[in-house]
């Protein structure tokens, strides 16, 4: 009989950590969170919190002592300490090896390319002259990307033409940070797939989600994605292959572009549950967080098929101040809407404060209900 690991350590106590805990607690696991914020979203529901900076090496060791398995809710963490812990015999999922490759957008793309997974063409650059040389091959527009630390488009600069080169290079640190250029994909749709891999290598792949962004921040996810069957099949095959390549245990997200011709390429991979997978909480029998917890504790997966069309809308802070959710009563007059309020005490304009999910018998019906709800429910700062 397998021994089920019962003490889980999570690095990061934001909304993703909190949602992992909700699933872990249903199974009675003991959860310790490492997060610098004493009032982080996970603080109200974890069993224990280590309040320390993500740079504090001793905090990682303390977390390891309190856990049978360690996981994380974001990838910009101290990989070297995790490597030491792993060498000492602590269990960390997804593996430190996959984390290190994915943390750097260049090494991530490189591994994908070596394994014949389609990505936009890319090249590491060190100065404006090299950016211009890359433009000879890729053409304008082009994306300049910091290889490390980017999220929600921070760390990216669009180079529309030759006159943008210096500005874009300066925006990303004028050579102080490692950067790369990427061919611009004239995509018709952005999609993502949540996929999970178990310790024994078995995998399960969620349906394709269609995402739209505002200011590089995810705004709406619609499932099933409104793309043709051939693109669904290629995207699903790509996601499965990515899971095989990274050899990771747990939930991953593969973000992809689809062009008007139906060509699918990978934008980036996240070694963790993802905002674009929140729809799985109401849309699927076992959500991305549950299957993450199942994977890292050695349990078989729950069913990932879509129960009915689902739309997720992010709720960003509308203003700065102490956060308050408004319009809930009115929103809940539609019984098919469910609101998630992450419990961040401070609202800031554009900060991810919550989301809501809508289900309906049809995609159009779910979109219509979501449009109505988004006029009503808001998170503001007072
Ligand atoms: P982050 O890691 O900060 O989320 P991404 O690299 O995913 O940043 O980029 C954010 C957004 O910028 C993407 O969702 C997409 O809309 C756009 N983008 C990124 N790379 C490209 C590209 N090569 N071609 C076209 N658009 C891109």
């Amino acid at each position: 009989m397998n021994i089920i690991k019962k003490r889980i350590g999570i690095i990061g106590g934001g909304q993703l950590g909190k949602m992992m805990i909700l699933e872990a607690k249903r199974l009675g696991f003991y959860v310790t969170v490492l997060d610098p914020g004493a009032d982080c979203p996970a603080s109200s529901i974890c069993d224990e919190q280590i309040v320390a900076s993500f740079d504090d090496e001793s905090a990682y060791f303390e977390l390891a002592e309190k856990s049978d398995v360690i996981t994380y809710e974001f990838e910009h963490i101290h990989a070297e300490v995790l490597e030491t812990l792993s060498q000492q015999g602590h269990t960390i999922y997804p593996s430190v090896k996959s984390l290190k490759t994915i943390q750097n957008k260049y090494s991530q793309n490189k591994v994908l390319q070596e394994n014949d997974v389609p990505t936009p063409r890319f090249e590491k650059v060190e100065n404006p002259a090299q950016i211009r040389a890359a433009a000879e091959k890729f053409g304008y527009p082009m994306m300049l990307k910091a290889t490390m630390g980017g999220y929600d488009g921070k760390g990216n600069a669009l180079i529309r033409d030759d006159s943008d080169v210096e500005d874009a290079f300066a925006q990303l640190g004028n050579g102080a940070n490692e950067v790369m250029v990427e061919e611009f994909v004239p995509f018709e749709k952005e999609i993502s797939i949540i996929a999970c891999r178990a310790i024994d290598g078995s995998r399960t792949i969620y349906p394709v989600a269609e995402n739209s962004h505002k200011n590089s921040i995810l705004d709406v996810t619609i499932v099933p994605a409104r793309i043709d069957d051939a693109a669904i099949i290629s995207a699903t095959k790509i996601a499965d292959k990515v899971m095989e390549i990274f050899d990771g245990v747990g939930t991953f997200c593969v973000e992809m572009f689809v062009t008007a011709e139906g060509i699918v390429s990978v934008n980036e991979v996240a070694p963790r549950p993802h905002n674009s997978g929140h729809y799985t909480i109401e849309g699927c029998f076992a959500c991305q967080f549950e299957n993450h917890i199942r994977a890292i504790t050695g349990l078989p997966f729950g069913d990932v098929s879509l129960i009915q069309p689902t739309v997720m809308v992010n709720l960003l802070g509308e203003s700065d101040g102490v956060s308050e959710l408004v319009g809930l009563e009115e929103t809940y007059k539609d019984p098919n809407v469910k609101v998630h309020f992450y419990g961040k005490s401070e609202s800031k304009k554009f900060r991810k404060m919550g989301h809501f999910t809508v289900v309906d018998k049809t995609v159009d019906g779910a979109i219509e209900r979501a449009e109505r709800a988004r006029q009503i429910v808001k998170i503001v700062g007072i």
Side-chain angles (χ1 to χ4, degrees):
M1 201 181 85
N2 290 334
I3 296 168
I4 295 172
K5 301 258 171 63
K6 289 197 171 64
R7 296 180 309 153
I8 299 172
I10 304 177
I11 301 164
Q15 63 268 22
L16 301 176
K18 180 180 179 184
M19 293 184 243
M20 283 183 203
I21 300 172
L22 289 169
E23 296 302 327
K25 291 313 296 177
R26 189 143 43 76
L27 290 168
F29 297 135
Y30 186 91
V31 185
T32 306
V33 163
L34 163 59
D35 193 284
D39 66 345
C40 67
S43 67
S44 63
I45 57 165
C46 63
D47 293 291
E48 224 179 302
Q49 184 182 352
I50 299 165
V51 181
S53 148
F54 294 123
D55 294 325
D56 178 350
E57 295 192 15
S58 65
Y60 287 74
F61 285 95
E62 191 185 339
L63 183 70
E65 283 315 309
K66 293 173 190 279
S67 315
D68 298 310
V69 58
I70 294 179
T71 189
Y72 39 87
E73 66 149 16
F74 72 122
E75 55 276 32
H76 305 308
I77 50 177
H78 210 318
E80 280 69 35
V81 189
L82 292 182
E83 198 153 40
T84 308
L85 288 172
S86 175
Q87 281 156 5
Q88 289 176 353
H90 293 283
T91 306
I92 300 162
Y93 291 137
S95 73
V96 184
K97 185 166 169 267
S98 55
L99 171 69
K100 283 181 88 168
T101 309
I102 289 171
Q103 269 182 340
N104 184 303
K105 286 188 179 174
Y106 180 78
S107 59
Q108 182 187 128
N109 273 10
K110 199 93 193 137
V111 168
L112 294 173
Q113 188 187 52
E114 282 161 12
N115 286 281
D116 301 322
V117 172
T119 66
R121 287 178 292 166
F122 61 100
E123 206 164 281
K124 209 183 267 187
V125 287
E126 287 176 358
N127 51 51
Q130 289 181 355
I131 297 177
R132 291 198 165 90
E136 298 280 309
K137 286 177 258 173
F138 303 162
Y140 291 113
M142 212 164 54
M143 294 297 287
L144 186 67
K145 295 187 171 186
T147 58
M148 301 279 284
Y151 68 98
D152 289 341
K154 294 173 184 67
N156 287 357
L158 177 68
I159 303 176
R160 288 165 298 184
D161 55 37
D162 192 82
S163 68
D164 276 346
V165 169
E166 271 77 19
D167 279 356
F169 192 64
Q171 201 183 316
L172 297 193
N174 246 332
N177 307 309
E178 188 182 77
V179 292
M180 66 181 203
V181 285
E182 213 175 73
E183 166 189 24
F184 188 87
V185 181
F187 59 81
E188 191 180 63
K189 293 246 156 96
E190 289 191 80
I191 58 170
S192 60
I193 294 189
I194 300 294
C196 308
R197 187 172 174 281
I199 296 168
D200 68 5
S202 59
R203 300 188 283 276
T204 190
I205 315 279
Y206 282 88
V208 182
E210 173 185 337
N211 301 317
S212 51
H213 297 80
K214 265 191 199 156
N215 304 316
S216 287
I217 303 174
L218 181 64
D219 180 35
V220 178
T221 297
I222 297 170
V223 197
R226 296 164 300 170
I227 57 175
D228 65 33
D229 289 350
I232 299 259
I233 292 167
S234 346
T236 307
K237 275 194 188 145
I238 288 174
D240 190 50
K241 188 153 187 200
V242 167
M243 294 309 284
E244 199 186 320
I245 295 165
F246 287 113
D247 200 22
V249 170
T251 290
F252 281 55
C253 176
V254 186
E255 291 184 79
M256 290 171 268
F257 300 121
V258 188
T259 64
E261 296 75 39
I263 296 164
V264 180
S265 59
V266 172
N267 172 27
E268 64 176 343
V269 178
R272 55 171 169 80
H274 192 262
N275 193 171
S276 66
H278 288 354
Y279 80 89
T280 61
I281 300 174
E282 289 82 10
C284 306
F285 176 72
C287 74
Q288 60 167 350
F289 302 101
E290 170 162 8
N291 274 333
H292 184 68
I293 296 296
R294 289 192 190 207
I296 66 169
T297 55
L299 292 166
F301 292 125
D303 186 8
V304 300
S305 40
L306 191 70
I307 299 166
Q308 59 180 331
T310 306
V311 171
M312 190 269 341
V313 178
N314 261 345
L315 293 171
L316 306 183
E318 305 242 334
S319 48
D320 295 2
V322 176
S323 66
E324 192 162 296
L325 175 65
V326 294
L328 186 60
E329 228 178 288
E330 182 65 21
T331 309
Y332 273 3
K333 288 186 179 157
D334 182 342
N336 287 25
V337 181
K338 214 175 249 190
V339 175
H340 298 245
F341 181 55
Y342 302 149
K344 297 179 184 176
S345 48
E346 281 293 304
S347 162
K348 285 201 193 88
K349 211 162 162 55
F350 303 126
R351 186 179 192 197
K352 285 178 185 167
M353 301 299 294
H355 73 266
F356 68 84
T357 310
V358 180
V359 295
D360 194 274
K361 287 189 190 69
T362 65
V363 177
D364 289 343
I367 293 172
E368 228 176 276
R369 285 172 189 267
E371 283 309 321
R372 271 200 303 272
R374 83 181 301 161
Q375 304 306 320
I376 308 167
V377 66
K378 311 230 173 286
I379 299 176
V380 298
I382 48 168

